[in-house]
Amino acid sequence: QVQLVESGGGLVQAGGSLRLSCAASGSIFSINAMGWYRQAPGKQRELVARITSGGSTNYADSVKGRFTISRGNAKNTVYLQMNSLKPEDTAVYYCNAGTYYRDYWGQGTQVTVSS
C-alpha cells in the first residue's frame, strides 16, 4: 500500500506561480513513477506531468515550458512547480504513484487561477 499526501494548492492570479508537493509513504520501494493529473469541472482527468524512478519526465503539451516536475532527495516526494499560470489551469490536481500492480491517488488539491 502507498499513501499520498498533497499540499500547495490555492488561489492565484493569472501569470502567478504555485508549487504543489506530494509525499508518499508506505511501500514506496514499489513505486515506478509518480506524477500529477488534473481534472477540471465537466472534463476528464488528464496527465499533467510524470517522472519515472529513473528520472525521465514527460509533460502535457499544454504545460510544457511552464510547469516543472521534480523529486526530493529521498525520492518519496514529488513537486510540481507551476509558473505563468492561466485560468485554464484551474482544476483539482491529483498526485499519482504507479506500481507494477496498481495506481495510487492522493485526495486532490484545488488550484484556481483567476483572470
Side-chain angles (χ1 to χ4, degrees), residues 10-99:
L11 174 64
V12 65
Q13 288 188 332
S17 298
L18 282 174
R19 188 190 195 208
L20 304 183
S21 300
C22 175
S25 61
S27 301
I28 59 173
F29 61 89
S30 66
I31 296 173
N32 295 324
M34 294 184 71
W36 291 93
Y37 289 69
R38 67 186 180 187
Q39 187 167 18
K43 295 188 176 181
Q44 289 188 333
R45 190 174 297 189
E46 62 176 0
L47 173 69
V48 176
R50 182 175 177 268
I51 185 166
T52 69
S53 57
S56 298
T57 59
N58 62 291
Y59 296 90
D61 288 343
S62 59
V63 307
K64 284 180 180 177
R66 300 188 298 123
F67 291 10
T68 302
I69 191 169
S70 62
R71 293 179 305 184
N73 290 333
K75 298 186 179 179
N76 66 322
T77 303
V78 65
Y79 304 100
L80 185 67
Q81 179 66 43
M82 305 185 292
N83 298 328
S84 302
L85 283 160
K86 305 175 181 180
E88 50 264 43
D89 295 317
T90 295
V92 178
Y93 284 69
Y94 295 92
C95 181
N96 170 273
T99 71

